[in-house]
PDB file of all heavy atoms in Angstrom:
ATOM      1  N   ILE H  51       3.353  -9.808  -9.513  1.00 94.00           N
ATOM      2  CA  ILE H  51       4.812  -9.926  -9.588  1.00 94.00           C
ATOM      3  C   ILE H  51       5.452  -8.540  -9.635  1.00 94.00           C
ATOM      4  O   ILE H  51       6.443  -8.266  -8.942  1.00 94.00           O
ATOM      5  CB  ILE H  51       5.221 -10.756 -10.825  1.00 94.00           C
ATOM      6  CG1 ILE H  51       4.776 -12.210 -10.650  1.00 94.00           C
ATOM      7  CG2 ILE H  51       6.722 -10.681 -11.058  1.00 94.00           C
ATOM      8  CD1 ILE H  51       5.009 -13.070 -11.876  1.00 94.00           C
ATOM      9  N   LEU H  52       4.875  -7.640 -10.435  1.00 94.00           N
ATOM     10  CA  LEU H  52       5.407  -6.280 -10.542  1.00 94.00           C
ATOM     11  C   LEU H  52       5.282  -5.537  -9.218  1.00 94.00           C
ATOM     12  O   LEU H  52       6.206  -4.821  -8.802  1.00 94.00           O
ATOM     13  CB  LEU H  52       4.674  -5.516 -11.646  1.00 94.00           C
ATOM     14  CG  LEU H  52       4.878  -6.043 -13.069  1.00 94.00           C
ATOM     15  CD1 LEU H  52       4.002  -5.279 -14.055  1.00 94.00           C
ATOM     16  CD2 LEU H  52       6.353  -5.935 -13.463  1.00 94.00           C
ATOM     17  N   ALA H  53       4.132  -5.706  -8.542  1.00 94.00           N
ATOM     18  CA  ALA H  53       3.950  -5.063  -7.237  1.00 94.00           C
ATOM     19  C   ALA H  53       4.943  -5.624  -6.229  1.00 94.00           C
ATOM     20  O   ALA H  53       5.519  -4.886  -5.416  1.00 94.00           O
ATOM     21  CB  ALA H  53       2.516  -5.264  -6.741  1.00 94.00           C
ATOM     22  N   GLY H  54       5.144  -6.937  -6.273  1.00 94.00           N
ATOM     23  CA  GLY H  54       6.112  -7.560  -5.375  1.00 94.00           C
ATOM     24  C   GLY H  54       7.510  -7.026  -5.602  1.00 94.00           C
ATOM     25  O   GLY H  54       8.248  -6.744  -4.646  1.00 94.00           O
ATOM     26  N   MET H  55       7.882  -6.846  -6.865  1.00 95.00           N
ATOM     27  CA  MET H  55       9.198  -6.304  -7.184  1.00 95.00           C
ATOM     28  C   MET H  55       9.337  -4.870  -6.674  1.00 95.00           C
ATOM     29  O   MET H  55      10.415  -4.469  -6.206  1.00 95.00           O
ATOM     30  CB  MET H  55       9.433  -6.360  -8.694  1.00 95.00           C
ATOM     31  CG  MET H  55       9.566  -7.770  -9.237  1.00 95.00           C
ATOM     32  SD  MET H  55       9.682  -7.840 -11.051  1.00 95.00           S
ATOM     33  CE  MET H  55      11.215  -6.950 -11.318  1.00 95.00           C
ATOM     34  N   ALA H  56       8.231  -4.107  -6.739  1.00 94.00           N
ATOM     35  CA  ALA H  56       8.264  -2.722  -6.250  1.00 94.00           C
ATOM     36  C   ALA H  56       8.508  -2.683  -4.743  1.00 94.00           C
ATOM     37  O   ALA H  56       9.306  -1.871  -4.248  1.00 94.00           O
ATOM     38  CB  ALA H  56       6.955  -2.017  -6.593  1.00 94.00           C
ATOM     39  N   PHE H  57       7.840  -3.575  -4.011  1.00 94.00           N
ATOM     40  CA  PHE H  57       8.029  -3.618  -2.560  1.00 94.00           C
ATOM     41  C   PHE H  57       9.422  -4.115  -2.198  1.00 94.00           C
ATOM     42  O   PHE H  57      10.045  -3.608  -1.262  1.00 94.00           O
ATOM     43  CB  PHE H  57       6.962  -4.513  -1.918  1.00 94.00           C
ATOM     44  CG  PHE H  57       5.675  -3.805  -1.620  1.00 94.00           C
ATOM     45  CD1 PHE H  57       4.710  -3.632  -2.606  1.00 94.00           C
ATOM     46  CD2 PHE H  57       5.422  -3.298  -0.357  1.00 94.00           C
ATOM     47  CE1 PHE H  57       3.525  -2.971  -2.330  1.00 94.00           C
ATOM     48  CE2 PHE H  57       4.241  -2.635  -0.063  1.00 94.00           C
ATOM     49  CZ  PHE H  57       3.289  -2.470  -1.064  1.00 94.00           C
ATOM     50  N   LEU H  58       9.894  -5.099  -2.928  1.00 94.00           N
ATOM     51  CA  LEU H  58      11.244  -5.604  -2.680  1.00 94.00           C
ATOM     52  C   LEU H  58      12.282  -4.524  -2.989  1.00 94.00           C
ATOM     53  O   LEU H  58      13.269  -4.371  -2.262  1.00 94.00           O
ATOM     54  CB  LEU H  58      11.502  -6.856  -3.532  1.00 94.00           C
ATOM     55  CG  LEU H  58      10.714  -8.110  -3.140  1.00 94.00           C
ATOM     56  CD1 LEU H  58      10.895  -9.207  -4.182  1.00 94.00           C
ATOM     57  CD2 LEU H  58      11.157  -8.615  -1.771  1.00 94.00           C
ATOM     58  N   TRP H  59      12.055  -3.764  -4.048  1.00 94.00           N
ATOM     59  CA  TRP H  59      12.940  -2.660  -4.411  1.00 94.00           C
ATOM     60  C   TRP H  59      12.953  -1.606  -3.306  1.00 94.00           C
ATOM     61  O   TRP H  59      13.998  -1.064  -2.954  1.00 94.00           O
ATOM     62  CB  TRP H  59      12.521  -2.074  -5.742  1.00 94.00           C
ATOM     63  CG  TRP H  59      13.174  -0.777  -6.113  1.00 94.00           C
ATOM     64  CD1 TRP H  59      12.564   0.418  -6.326  1.00 94.00           C
ATOM     65  CD2 TRP H  59      14.572  -0.546  -6.331  1.00 94.00           C
ATOM     66  NE1 TRP H  59      13.477   1.389  -6.652  1.00 94.00           N
ATOM     67  CE2 TRP H  59      14.733   0.822  -6.666  1.00 94.00           C
ATOM     68  CE3 TRP H  59      15.702  -1.354  -6.267  1.00 94.00           C
ATOM     69  CZ2 TRP H  59      15.966   1.388  -6.933  1.00 94.00           C
ATOM     70  CZ3 TRP H  59      16.936  -0.783  -6.537  1.00 94.00           C
ATOM     71  CH2 TRP H  59      17.070   0.556  -6.864  1.00 94.00           C
ATOM     72  N   ALA H  60      11.778  -1.324  -2.743  1.00 93.00           N
ATOM     73  CA  ALA H  60      11.689  -0.344  -1.659  1.00 93.00           C
ATOM     74  C   ALA H  60      12.478  -0.814  -0.444  1.00 93.00           C
ATOM     75  O   ALA H  60      13.191  -0.029   0.197  1.00 93.00           O
ATOM     76  CB  ALA H  60      10.232  -0.095  -1.280  1.00 93.00           C
ATOM     77  N   GLY H  61      12.339  -2.097  -0.109  1.00 92.00           N
ATOM     78  CA  GLY H  61      13.099  -2.638   1.018  1.00 92.00           C
ATOM     79  C   GLY H  61      14.595  -2.571   0.783  1.00 92.00           C
ATOM     80  O   GLY H  61      15.367  -2.226   1.689  1.00 92.00           O
ATOM     81  N   LEU H  62      15.011  -2.872  -0.453  1.00 93.00           N
ATOM     82  CA  LEU H  62      16.430  -2.789  -0.800  1.00 93.00           C
ATOM     83  C   LEU H  62      16.925  -1.353  -0.755  1.00 93.00           C
ATOM     84  O   LEU H  62      18.044  -1.076  -0.300  1.00 93.00           O
ATOM     85  CB  LEU H  62      16.648  -3.390  -2.192  1.00 93.00           C
ATOM     86  CG  LEU H  62      18.091  -3.396  -2.723  1.00 93.00           C
ATOM     87  CD1 LEU H  62      18.988  -4.240  -1.813  1.00 93.00           C
ATOM     88  CD2 LEU H  62      18.119  -3.925  -4.156  1.00 93.00           C
ATOM     89  N   LEU H  63      16.083  -0.439  -1.210  1.00 92.00           N
ATOM     90  CA  LEU H  63      16.452   0.981  -1.197  1.00 92.00           C
ATOM     91  C   LEU H  63      16.698   1.491   0.223  1.00 92.00           C
ATOM     92  O   LEU H  63      17.565   2.341   0.441  1.00 92.00           O
ATOM     93  CB  LEU H  63      15.358   1.818  -1.854  1.00 92.00           C
ATOM     94  CG  LEU H  63      15.490   2.103  -3.350  1.00 92.00           C
ATOM     95  CD1 LEU H  63      14.301   2.917  -3.836  1.00 92.00           C
ATOM     96  CD2 LEU H  63      16.792   2.828  -3.651  1.00 92.00           C
ATOM     97  N   MET H  64      15.918   0.999   1.173  1.00 91.00           N
ATOM     98  CA  MET H  64      16.116   1.413   2.561  1.00 91.00           C
ATOM     99  C   MET H  64      17.514   1.048   3.046  1.00 91.00           C
ATOM    100  O   MET H  64      18.160   1.817   3.763  1.00 91.00           O
ATOM    101  CB  MET H  64      15.061   0.764   3.459  1.00 91.00           C
ATOM    102  CG  MET H  64      13.667   1.294   3.250  1.00 91.00           C
ATOM    103  SD  MET H  64      12.483   0.529   4.390  1.00 91.00           S
ATOM    104  CE  MET H  64      10.968   1.256   3.793  1.00 91.00           C
ATOM    105  N   ILE H  65      17.965  -0.140   2.635  1.00 91.00           N
ATOM    106  CA  ILE H  65      19.306  -0.575   3.028  1.00 91.00           C
ATOM    107  C   ILE H  65      20.362   0.287   2.351  1.00 91.00           C
ATOM    108  O   ILE H  65      21.319   0.751   2.983  1.00 91.00           O
ATOM    109  CB  ILE H  65      19.510  -2.059   2.660  1.00 91.00           C
ATOM    110  CG1 ILE H  65      18.490  -2.936   3.396  1.00 91.00           C
ATOM    111  CG2 ILE H  65      20.927  -2.499   2.997  1.00 91.00           C
ATOM    112  CD1 ILE H  65      18.529  -4.394   2.984  1.00 91.00           C
ATOM    113  N   ILE H  66      20.167   0.534   1.052  1.00 92.00           N
ATOM    114  CA  ILE H  66      21.142   1.314   0.288  1.00 92.00           C
ATOM    115  C   ILE H  66      21.198   2.752   0.780  1.00 92.00           C
ATOM    116  O   ILE H  66      22.276   3.322   0.979  1.00 92.00           O
ATOM    117  CB  ILE H  66      20.801   1.275  -1.213  1.00 92.00           C
ATOM    118  CG1 ILE H  66      20.892  -0.151  -1.737  1.00 92.00           C
ATOM    119  CG2 ILE H  66      21.731   2.193  -2.003  1.00 92.00           C
ATOM    120  CD1 ILE H  66      20.430  -0.313  -3.172  1.00 92.00           C
ATOM    121  N   ALA H  67      20.010   3.368   0.983  1.00 91.00           N
ATOM    122  CA  ALA H  67      19.953   4.767   1.386  1.00 91.00           C
ATOM    123  C   ALA H  67      20.552   4.992   2.767  1.00 91.00           C
ATOM    124  O   ALA H  67      21.056   6.077   3.067  1.00 91.00           O
ATOM    125  CB  ALA H  67      18.507   5.264   1.357  1.00 91.00           C
ATOM    126  N   ALA H  68      20.501   3.982   3.615  1.00 88.00           N
ATOM    127  CA  ALA H  68      21.088   4.104   4.949  1.00 88.00           C
ATOM    128  C   ALA H  68      22.603   4.254   4.866  1.00 88.00           C
ATOM    129  O   ALA H  68      23.237   4.862   5.740  1.00 88.00           O
ATOM    130  CB  ALA H  68      20.726   2.892   5.800  1.00 88.00           C
ATOM    131  N   ARG H  69      23.176   3.708   3.791  1.00 89.00           N
ATOM    132  CA  ARG H  69      24.628   3.786   3.600  1.00 89.00           C
ATOM    133  C   ARG H  69      25.020   4.885   2.617  1.00 89.00           C
ATOM    134  O   ARG H  69      26.095   5.478   2.734  1.00 89.00           O
ATOM    135  CB  ARG H  69      25.162   2.432   3.107  1.00 89.00           C
ATOM    136  CG  ARG H  69      24.977   1.299   4.107  1.00 89.00           C
ATOM    137  CD  ARG H  69      25.459  -0.020   3.513  1.00 89.00           C
ATOM    138  NE  ARG H  69      25.380  -1.103   4.488  1.00 89.00           N
ATOM    139  CZ  ARG H  69      26.334  -1.409   5.352  1.00 89.00           C
ATOM    140  NH1 ARG H  69      27.459  -0.702   5.373  1.00 89.00           N
ATOM    141  NH2 ARG H  69      26.190  -2.416   6.198  1.00 89.00           N
ATOM    142  N   GLU H  70      24.134   5.141   1.648  1.00 90.00           N
ATOM    143  CA  GLU H  70      24.423   6.138   0.619  1.00 90.00           C
ATOM    144  C   GLU H  70      23.296   7.168   0.574  1.00 90.00           C
ATOM    145  O   GLU H  70      22.268   6.939  -0.065  1.00 90.00           O
ATOM    146  CB  GLU H  70      24.566   5.466  -0.752  1.00 90.00           C
ATOM    147  CG  GLU H  70      25.711   4.484  -0.853  1.00 90.00           C
ATOM    148  CD  GLU H  70      27.065   5.178  -0.796  1.00 90.00           C
ATOM    149  OE1 GLU H  70      27.121   6.401  -1.067  1.00 90.00           O
ATOM    150  OE2 GLU H  70      28.055   4.502  -0.477  1.00 90.00           O
ATOM    151  N   PRO H  71      23.449   8.309   1.260  1.00 89.00           N
ATOM    152  CA  PRO H  71      22.391   9.331   1.293  1.00 89.00           C
ATOM    153  C   PRO H  71      21.963   9.832  -0.084  1.00 89.00           C
ATOM    154  O   PRO H  71      20.879  10.405  -0.226  1.00 89.00           O
ATOM    155  CB  PRO H  71      23.040  10.464   2.104  1.00 89.00           C
ATOM    156  CG  PRO H  71      24.076   9.784   2.941  1.00 89.00           C
ATOM    157  CD  PRO H  71      24.604   8.669   2.095  1.00 89.00           C
ATOM    158  N   ALA H  72      22.785   9.616  -1.095  1.00 91.00           N
ATOM    159  CA  ALA H  72      22.442  10.073  -2.438  1.00 91.00           C
ATOM    160  C   ALA H  72      21.166   9.387  -2.962  1.00 91.00           C
ATOM    161  O   ALA H  72      20.515   9.904  -3.876  1.00 91.00           O
ATOM    162  CB  ALA H  72      23.606   9.796  -3.401  1.00 91.00           C
TER     163      ALA H  72
END
Side-chain angles (χ1 to χ4, degrees):
I51 293 174
L52 295 175
M55 292 174 63
F57 274 83
L58 291 171
W59 169 242
L62 180 62
L63 268 179
M64 290 182 185
I65 299 174
I66 297 174
R69 296 177 176 273
E70 297 291 340

